[in-house]
Amino acid sequence: MSLPIKIRICNVDESANPRFIQKTFTFENHDGTHVLMVSVPEVVKILGLQYGMYVWPCAVVLAQYVWTTREKIQRKTVLELGAGVSLPGIVAAKCGAHVILSDSAEIPLCLENSRRCCELNDLPGVPVVGLTWGEISPELRSLPPVDIILGSDVFYEPEAKSFWSVLDYISGKKLRLDYRNFAE
């Protein structure tokens, strides 16, 4: 069974800024309806391999899932943890969700790149917050209640164990919707 969606990278533009390349992803139904294009800036890898500075394969898969379930996320509050270049969160925002993007407070360049992604996709009002896993910070405490938590490729380092403290706080105090309702 194939999903009723096509996704492709249709453009890689290196001319805008030599430190970044811009990838454009196109999401559409097989019949060509409901087309959505999302652009993300990636840092040229020779500048350093920071995790949140380029599109990881699971982010593409999660963005595709968000696209196929877009009716269920409209008007929902969505928090993307470890957003990096924010592809799934940007797709959610373009599909009508109220999105909050987050990544490590300790990597300001990554947060800046998430903001750049919002600008590229005409989403200047999407908040980007720095969270430190393992720390119940003022930024974490100030998050509004969320309906859906997105995260892709967030378990690649031993520090990922501290991810659970953030998830526990959000799910114990701030989560309003059971995850199974999103997947049904």
Side-chain angles (χ1 to χ4, degrees):
M1 179 172 100
S2 65
L3 294 174
I5 177 178
K6 291 188 279 185
I7 181 171
R8 64 187 180 324
I9 300 174
C10 64
N11 183 29
V12 176
D13 181 7
E14 298 182 33
S15 63
N17 184 329
R19 291 181 42 209
F20 297 93
I21 60 171
Q22 179 177 313
K23 288 186 177 177
T24 303
F25 295 83
T26 302
F27 299 83
E28 61 186 53
N29 293 344
H30 281 305
D31 63 3
T33 61
H34 297 98
V35 175
L36 174 67
M37 294 179 71
V38 175
S39 296
V40 295
E42 284 189 338
V43 171
V44 178
K45 293 179 182 172
I46 59 172
L47 294 177
L49 294 176
Q50 290 186 334
Y51 295 122
M53 302 305 289
Y54 52 92
V55 179
W56 285 72
C58 285
V60 177
V61 173
L62 182 56
Q64 180 178 356
Y65 179 76
V66 169
W67 172 251
T68 61
T69 60
R70 61 192 175 274
E71 294 82 18
K72 295 181 181 187
I73 64 168
Q74 292 177 351
R75 294 175 299 283
K76 301 291 185 195
T77 300
V78 175
L79 172 65
E80 185 176 2
L81 294 173
V85 296
S86 313
L87 182 61
I90 294 297
V91 171
K94 289 291 213 176
C95 291
H98 306 286
V99 174
I100 303 162
L101 302 172
S102 70
D103 212 303
S104 175
E106 298 168 356
I107 308 175
L109 186 60
C110 189
L111 296 171
E112 179 185 320
N113 204 38
S114 289
R115 289 183 191 94
R116 187 177 293 110
C117 188
C118 292
E119 292 169 13
L120 271 173
N121 291 284
D122 297 320
L123 296 168
V126 172
V128 177
V129 298
L131 299 177
T132 302
W133 293 358
E135 181 180 311
I136 307 300
S137 65
E139 293 80 9
L140 180 61
R141 290 180 187 182
S142 68
L143 290 175
V146 297
D147 299 303
I148 299 167
I149 300 169
L150 299 175
S152 64
D153 292 305
V154 293
F155 298 113
Y156 45 77
E157 288 287 336
E159 296 86 33
K161 292 177 187 175
S162 57
F163 168 82
W164 295 109
S165 64
V166 172
L167 194 58
D168 284 346
Y169 180 80
I170 293 168
S171 63
K173 305 277 184 178
K174 303 278 185 172
L175 194 64
R176 293 189 302 218
L177 183 69
D178 187 308
Y179 74 93
R180 290 169 291 188
N181 291 335
F182 183 64
E184 291 176 350

